[in-house]
Amino acid sequence: MTRGEKGAQGSAGKLIKPTEPLFPKTPQQTVLGPQLTLCSKVCFAIGGAPKEVAASATAFFLQIYLLDIAQINAFQASMVLFIGKAWGAVTDPIVGFFITKSRWTKIGRLMPWMVGCTPFLVVSYFYLWFVPPFLSGRFFWYLGFYCLYQTLITCFHVPYSALTMFLSTDQKERDSATAYRMTMEVLGTLVGAAIQGQIVASAHTLKHCPIHNMSIGNLGNSSGAEIVKSLVRSQDYLSHSKEVYMIAAGVIGGVFLVCTVVMFLGVKERDDPYALRTEKQIPFYQGFILVMRHGPYLILTAAFLFITVAIQLVQSNFVLFCTYAADLRDHFQNIVLTILVSAVISIPLWHWFLQRFGKKTAAFCGITWIMPFTMMLVFIPNVVVAYVVAVSSGLSVAASLLLPWSMLPDVVDDFRLANPYCKGHEAIFYSFYVFFTKFASGISLGVSTLCLEFAGYDTGACKQPAPVVYTLKLLIGAAPVAFIVTGLMILLLYPISEDVRLRNKVCLDELRKQSISARTMEDLNSV
């Protein structure tokens, strides 16, 4: 190792603070990059909204749609959810690999991926909510389109997540852009829940239910005429339910197209103009090994993996819980909206909090807030408590969305400082973070739906047996709390404190200034 590469040890064991300049310094002052305009931040944030609009709709409603509208059994639904999520997780590192091999174009290295996949993404999303006329092959229909949708959403999300590193070299600017992004994404989650919830709410009321529970097992309790009337009414209602789900899918597809165009027109992708001249693109497998050996990245990913699983369990089972376990089927869409409105409003609060007290402290304060309130809803399932829980839970949802994406750029900076002559690793960080969290979410979704199957979930019934109700209470209360506690215990080990983060920033700025000085000297010598 040369003298210029030696430095002080830091959070990753290799934190560099040069004791001697890597390059001769010049006395000029250097501005380390243009400030992002408000328009650029807003357009960047709008680009992330449609993914969350679609994700909100699928998270809250895909499970109950597969069970009650598409009417596939709970085991098949669990396989669709698990295999689809697992396939999406597998595609994350694959897409990350191809992104590292992508060359810069006139519109950047990441933007062509997002713009190119959007039309196909919209088509696959629409057919995910379409009920085919055949019955026997519906499992393969939904499995195929869910896997296709997960592949295309990965082609959009991985480059969009990595785009944060190509907006600015300034940590404050990136944090500000991330706060805008998270605000817009939570707003997108709100819009998705509002569009889907309000349009399809009529598909989950009791208007089509007779006095008796009209599942197949209970048809023998009624006369022939009553059975015929009930079946005709149920079929008409099912046709209406299919139509409203397709309408919602079309609206969300239109939102996706519009937001992607706005992002394309308003965001300029920039490479790091002050990177060391000797930087070179590292092979993917070497970059993967370096990333997987970086301690702060592993700790952050493991912690938020468990926290994400907890939030996913609550999201995917909340509508079922309100419908069958809490007798809140007439209120669930408004409760969901209350959660998300609270989350949107609290994003600026958490952005201020993390700047004032640090990101790690903000993570602990924000995410622990949800635990007592979810348990309260399980034990006191009434309307008033539900809305109180919704407002309180929104605070934790906002923190769980904002903090990992605000902390991940700090991990990338820490890695870059420990490996100053490596380049092109950003997509590896983001793609494998999404891979691990998505794979874990897929397992949790599949297992939770399978639990409903073992508990005796009755597809198409207006009332579920007691074991199903008990299982839903566990999936909303005890299970998420256990995952959150595990994640927070892991997060205690996260080494990038505010002092380390600020020291990393100073060191990176110094390296970039030295790089500019060296380039200036080279230009003068060539002249």
Side-chain angles (χ1 to χ4, degrees):
M1 184 180 290
T2 63
R3 287 172 61 87
E5 291 175 278
K6 294 180 181 178
Q9 295 296 310
S11 67
K14 297 181 180 179
L15 188 60
I16 295 174
K17 185 171 183 179
T19 56
E20 293 185 13
L22 287 173
F23 306 98
K25 288 189 177 182
T26 60
Q28 67 184 22
Q29 295 295 321
T30 304
V31 179
L32 287 179
Q35 298 292 306
L36 291 176
T37 64
L38 177 62
C39 179
S40 295
K41 294 177 184 178
V42 171
C43 290
F44 168 68
I46 289 174
K51 183 259 179 187
E52 296 304 321
V53 171
S56 175
T58 55
F60 282 110
F61 293 95
L62 183 58
Q63 186 180 39
I64 196 171
Y65 168 82
L66 293 174
L67 293 172
D68 289 356
I69 309 302
Q71 294 193 341
I72 62 177
N73 62 53
F75 176 76
Q76 291 177 333
S78 70
M79 289 297 100
V80 169
L81 295 172
F82 167 68
I83 296 174
K85 281 282 189 180
W87 175 257
V90 170
T91 59
D92 283 302
I94 296 174
V95 171
F97 169 78
F98 284 111
I99 289 175
T100 61
K101 298 296 182 182
S102 301
R103 296 183 178 181
W104 280 84
T105 66
K106 292 182 179 180
I107 61 173
R109 184 158 65 102
L110 304 175
M111 194 67 72
W113 284 83
M114 295 178 279
V115 174
C117 74
T118 296
F120 304 100
L121 175 58
V122 171
V123 173
S124 66
Y125 180 80
F126 178 81
Y127 280 106
L128 179 63
W129 300 96
F130 174 77
V131 180
F134 48 85
L135 184 61
S136 60
R138 285 184 183 177
F139 167 72
F140 297 101
W141 173 278
Y142 289 110
L143 179 62
F145 275 105
Y146 194 43
C147 288
L148 179 61
Y149 165 74
Q150 289 291 341
T151 301
L152 293 170
I153 202 69
T154 297
C155 292
F156 184 93
H157 185 233
V158 170
Y160 177 77
S161 299
L163 185 60
T164 307
M165 299 302 298
F166 297 93
L167 296 175
S168 174
T169 59
D170 191 310
Q171 287 185 354
K172 286 187 177 180
E173 289 296 299
R174 291 202 305 259
D175 284 345
S176 177
T178 300
Y180 276 89
R181 170 193 166 188
M182 289 300 109
T183 302
M184 195 61 69
E185 287 191 358
V186 175
L187 186 60
T189 305
L190 171 63
V191 171
I195 292 173
Q196 193 83 5
Q198 298 300 324
I199 292 177
V200 309
S202 58
H204 301 287
T205 65
L206 282 169
K207 294 179 181 178
H208 68 293
C209 295
I211 297 176
H212 302 289
N213 186 25
M214 288 305 302
S215 64
I216 299 298
N218 289 319
L219 289 177
N221 297 333
S222 304
S223 66
E226 289 177 341
I227 292 174
V228 171
K229 287 182 180 179
S230 298
L231 290 176
V232 170
R233 182 165 48 191
S234 296
Q235 288 302 316
D236 291 342
Y237 199 82
L238 187 60
S239 298
H240 165 74
S241 300
K242 295 175 183 177
E243 290 175 2
V244 295
Y245 268 97
M246 283 191 291
I247 292 171
V251 173
I252 290 176
V255 171
F256 218 115
L257 289 172
V258 172
C259 291
T260 303
V261 170
V262 171
M263 178 189 64
F264 173 72
L265 296 177
V267 176
K268 183 178 180 181
E269 183 181 345
R270 301 179 180 90
D271 198 2
D272 188 349
Y274 311 114
L276 296 177
R277 177 64 62 90
T278 55
E279 285 187 351
K280 59 182 180 180
Q281 188 88 5
I282 58 175
F284 182 84
Y285 71 93
Q286 290 183 10
F288 171 75
I289 293 173
L290 287 173
V291 168
M292 291 301 110
R293 289 177 177 175
H294 194 60
Y297 178 70
L298 295 179
I299 293 171
L300 183 70
T301 301
F304 278 99
L305 182 149
F306 284 98
I307 294 168
T308 301
V309 166
I311 300 297
Q312 186 72 55
L313 278 175
V314 174
Q315 275 189 317
S316 60
N317 293 285
F318 186 75
V319 176
L320 285 170
F321 174 81
C322 290
T323 303
Y324 298 117
D327 196 24
L328 297 171
R329 68 173 69 226
D330 294 329
H331 301 276
F332 75 83
Q333 69 272 22
N334 295 324
I335 296 172
V336 169
L337 289 180
T338 304
I339 294 173
L340 299 175
V341 168
S342 173
V344 171
I345 295 173
S346 61
I347 284 284
L349 168 65
W350 289 121
H351 181 59
W352 169 84
F353 192 95
L354 67 86
Q355 288 183 322
R356 178 67 177 83
F357 300 102
K359 299 178 183 181
K360 188 173 178 179
T361 303
F364 276 93
C365 293
I367 295 168
T368 54
W369 190 255
I370 195 174
M371 293 191 291
F373 291 99
T374 54
M375 297 303 297
M376 183 187 299
L377 182 61
V378 169
F379 289 106
I380 315 175
N382 62 59
V383 176
V384 176
V385 171
Y387 280 101
V388 172
V389 171
V391 173
S392 303
S393 299
L395 297 173
S396 290
V397 170
S400 69
L401 290 172
L402 174 64
L403 269 303
W405 297 111
S406 182
M407 297 167 80
L408 198 53
D410 298 337
V411 173
V412 177
D413 281 344
D414 189 76
F415 176 88
R416 194 174 182 84
L417 198 56
N419 302 273
Y421 294 95
C422 296
K423 186 178 182 180
H425 52 270
E426 295 86 1
I428 300 175
F429 275 94
Y430 285 91
S431 62
F432 276 93
Y433 174 80
V434 176
F435 165 78
F436 290 123
T437 55
K438 190 180 291 185
F439 192 82
S441 297
I443 293 176
S444 68
L445 280 176
V447 170
S448 67
T449 311
L450 204 57
C451 289
L452 296 177
E453 169 74 7
F454 292 146
Y457 187 90
D458 192 357
T459 300
C462 297
K463 185 178 180 181
Q464 296 296 334
V468 173
V469 174
Y470 180 73
T471 302
L472 286 171
K473 290 182 177 181
L474 286 178
L475 294 174
I476 286 290
V481 169
F483 281 115
I484 289 174
V485 170
T486 304
L488 292 177
M489 291 177 66
I490 296 173
L491 194 61
L492 284 172
L493 305 175
Y494 182 67
I496 303 180
S497 62
E498 284 303 291
D499 291 339
V500 173
R501 185 181 70 83
L502 293 174
R503 189 167 70 239
N504 286 357
K505 180 181 183 300
V506 171
C507 293
L508 283 174
D509 289 348
E510 182 66 22
L511 289 175
R512 288 169 180 142
K513 289 177 182 179
Q514 293 169 13
S515 179
I516 293 174
S517 300
R519 294 181 186 185
T520 303
M521 294 296 293
E522 289 178 6
D523 293 340
L524 290 175
N525 290 334
S526 65
V527 172

